[in-house]
Amino acid sequence: MSSLASSVASSSQWISRASLLTTPSKFPKFQSCSPPPPPPSCCYSCSRLVCRAGSNSQSVGSDPKFVLHEALESSGIDTSHAREAREGFCAQIRKLSDIERETSITINRCVDLGKTALYIAAEDDSLVSHSSVPLPVDAFIERLDDLSVGYCSQYNSSYRSSPEKFLESLERYLYGMKGFRRTHSKNQAEPRALYLHSVLTHRSGSIAMLSLIYSEVLKMLRLWGLVNFDVEIFFPHDLHSLPRGYDKQKSRDSDQAHIITSQMLLVEILRNLKNAFWPFQHDHTRSLFLWAAHAANCIDESNIGEESGFQIASAKAAQHRLERGVWTSVRFGDMRRALSTCERLILLDTNKKELRDYSILLYHCGFFEQSLQYLKLYQDAKDSSPIKQSPDSLSSLEDDAVEKLMIRLNLILMEEGWSRPPYIRNYLGNNSEPW
């Protein structure tokens, strides 16, 4: 190892990623920001719905509570590790001010995106494995930091080269020597491609995970003073390209659409998980909500149009699984991870439709009262929104399904002695293989 690499490696023992939040930068736009004071409690000290983490945090409506962890506990499943991971996730997103949400991942200073992604993985790992040992978040953070140290030992001569040569050498290191590759589009729903710790282990991941790893390596190299130019990451929107760095001073207008912010990255990570674990077969012709509404018979069949035999069979299979209490399947998702992802998306508060999607999952689980609460929250948020979307066939179908679900839930709750269906305990206790 060269003297420079040795110096970086030894200094990294006390110059950690935590310094990213406090160390001033030579670039004004990289200056650290003071995170807003945390609210009195977050997430699972009260399991409540929190919108706009940070300075805008507040309770909403009648303070509805998230369901998943408490329901699992009532079935005899220990969720202490899952709750701890959720707390870690909340502690990070509390730092997301409005400005930080729109900050590029390459210059993000307030939120540790790598640690946030690992808290997501740690919660889901606990939910599906029921392990007595939590996912070692700190160990994977060290593995992520080791990538930066490893680059220093291999490409020390590139520090004195042009920005283009520097970035070329970094990409040869990540995509060549280390072998990070993008998961093939047909296997995008493969769970291990969607969790940071698995991508660090298997070197194969989604475009969001590869972009996160690229940005975290750049942040550490900048912390050590090895990046002296304004660098941005090109986030591709096709199915095959890899994230690439470029000198922002030489960028083009067309590059702006490929810049991903901290909020966009977290939403992309969570929506990938939501798509992968949604417990109803779906495609891109309809929203996830509509597929769940179809399985709940909340869609007028005459409005659907002609369906293939496969789609009809998939809907019937979904209903059959629900009746038997089978909620985890190779091709039909995992209700527990779908619920946990919906709860985290609600905490991020980026789209009111997440309230609606969470509501219909709760309906399928038999949590009718909570389902109605979240559906009302969705309706209130939609009605109060100053931005009115022009109606189209898809949104009209969704609105109709929401209305039917609202009517059904009100009727259910009006009945005396209503109770949850018997398969709830079965699905909560159903253990499955982790990813």
Side-chain angles (χ1 to χ4, degrees):
M1 183 181 293
S2 67
S3 58
L4 177 57
S6 300
S7 175
V8 170
S10 60
S11 64
S12 65
Q13 296 176 6
W14 59 85
I15 304 179
S16 65
R17 69 176 39 244
S19 303
L20 287 168
L21 305 182
T22 56
T23 305
S25 169
K26 63 181 69 176
F27 302 109
K29 65 186 294 187
F30 297 149
Q31 295 297 332
S32 61
C33 60
S34 300
S41 59
C42 180
C43 301
Y44 268 103
S45 57
C46 58
S47 298
R48 68 185 56 197
L49 171 64
V50 177
C51 284
R52 280 293 178 193
S55 59
N56 297 327
S57 296
Q58 56 185 343
S59 326
V60 177
S62 57
D63 194 22
K65 295 183 178 181
F66 290 139
V67 170
L68 180 61
H69 291 175
E70 290 185 2
L72 288 168
E73 288 278 6
S74 68
S75 296
I77 297 173
D78 182 12
T79 63
S80 57
H81 296 321
R83 290 174 183 269
E84 183 179 354
R86 179 69 68 85
E87 287 285 1
F89 173 82
C90 288
Q92 290 297 322
I93 66 170
R94 276 204 302 262
K95 305 170 188 176
L96 277 174
S97 64
D98 288 340
I99 294 177
E100 187 73 8
R101 286 171 180 265
E102 302 305 320
T103 300
S104 167
I105 59 174
T106 61
I107 57 176
N108 173 282
R109 303 285 297 179
C110 293
V111 180
D112 190 330
L113 293 173
K115 186 170 287 188
T116 306
L118 286 169
Y119 283 132
I120 292 172
E123 180 179 354
D124 284 4
D125 173 82
S126 175
L127 292 176
V128 297
S129 69
H130 302 168
S131 173
S132 61
V133 180
L135 187 78
V137 170
D138 291 340
F140 282 103
I141 285 291
E142 291 180 7
R143 182 177 296 192
L144 185 59
D145 291 345
D146 286 344
L147 288 173
S148 305
V149 176
Y151 173 76
C152 295
S153 66
Q154 295 293 330
Y155 293 97
N156 54 8
S157 62
S158 65
Y159 308 144
R160 296 181 295 275
S161 62
S162 66
E164 292 77 13
K165 294 293 185 183
F166 172 84
L167 294 171
E168 286 177 7
S169 69
L170 178 57
E171 286 157 17
R172 283 197 304 270
Y173 170 73
L174 289 176
Y175 303 138
M177 177 174 292
K178 290 300 180 182
F180 284 98
R181 63 192 183 279
R182 184 173 176 179
T183 306
H184 194 275
S185 58
K186 291 183 179 179
N187 298 322
Q188 182 64 36
E190 182 184 352
R192 73 180 187 182
L194 307 178
Y195 292 107
L196 182 55
H197 74 292
S198 295
V199 177
L200 289 171
T201 301
H202 300 286
R203 310 296 172 91
S204 176
S206 66
I207 187 63
M209 284 300 158
L210 296 183
S211 298
L212 172 58
I213 290 170
Y214 198 130
S215 69
E216 291 298 293
V217 171
L218 278 177
K219 279 194 229 179
M220 295 305 294
L221 296 179
R222 179 183 290 119
L223 175 64
W224 296 333
L226 305 179
V227 178
N228 58 3
F229 62 96
D230 192 353
V231 59
E232 189 55 79
I233 294 176
F234 185 92
F235 184 90
H237 297 303
D238 59 49
L239 298 177
H240 304 287
S241 301
L242 292 166
R244 302 285 182 184
Y246 63 91
D247 183 355
K248 196 166 184 182
Q249 291 185 349
K250 300 179 181 179
S251 64
R252 300 163 296 180
D253 291 339
S254 59
D255 293 330
Q256 298 302 310
H258 295 269
I259 294 177
I260 187 166
T261 66
S262 299
Q263 174 174 285
M264 290 167 60
L265 181 68
L266 291 176
V267 170
E268 179 77 7
I269 290 171
L270 290 171
R271 286 189 177 161
N272 284 342
L273 292 171
K274 184 178 175 183
N275 288 331
F277 298 121
W278 194 254
F280 309 96
Q281 184 69 26
H282 58 88
D283 57 26
H284 298 294
T285 61
R286 276 194 259 160
S287 65
L288 298 178
F289 170 76
L290 282 178
W291 283 101
H294 188 194
N297 293 319
C298 288
I299 296 180
D300 185 355
E301 299 293 335
S302 63
N303 293 330
I304 296 177
E306 186 177 355
E307 287 188 301
S308 68
F310 175 76
Q311 290 172 329
I312 295 173
S314 296
K316 290 183 177 179
Q319 290 174 322
H320 183 56
R321 289 196 322 278
L322 298 180
E323 292 168 358
R324 292 170 51 221
V326 178
W327 293 85
T328 301
S329 174
V330 174
R331 297 191 62 193
F332 293 95
D334 184 323
M335 179 62 85
R336 290 161 295 181
R337 284 183 277 186
L339 285 168
S340 67
T341 299
C342 284
E343 290 178 356
R344 289 186 293 250
L345 281 167
I346 290 172
L347 286 166
L348 276 176
D349 185 32
T350 59
N351 192 324
K352 59 182 176 292
K353 290 183 178 179
E354 302 300 342
L355 297 165
R356 177 201 67 185
D357 294 358
Y358 186 56
S359 171
I360 200 163
L361 290 185
L362 294 179
Y363 167 81
H364 279 294
C365 294
F367 294 104
F368 303 124
E369 185 176 2
Q370 295 89 336
S371 176
L372 183 59
Q373 282 184 309
Y374 278 96
L375 202 59
K376 287 180 177 178
L377 279 176
Y378 165 70
Q379 288 282 51
D380 292 343
K382 183 181 177 183
D383 294 341
S384 62
S385 175
I387 302 175
K388 303 299 181 181
Q389 295 182 341
S390 56
D392 54 40
S393 59
L394 183 63
S395 61
S396 297
L397 199 58
E398 290 177 336
D399 291 343
D400 184 60
V402 167
E403 183 179 355
K404 285 183 171 60
L405 181 60
M406 182 81 76
I407 293 172
R408 184 180 299 176
L409 286 167
N410 278 305
L411 289 173
I412 290 173
L413 295 177
M414 286 172 61
E415 296 180 1
E416 292 185 1
W418 70 275
S419 60
R420 299 175 184 174
Y423 52 76
I424 291 180
R425 183 172 295 274
N426 293 338
Y427 109 78
L428 288 172
N430 181 23
N431 197 6
S432 66
E433 291 295 326
W435 48 77

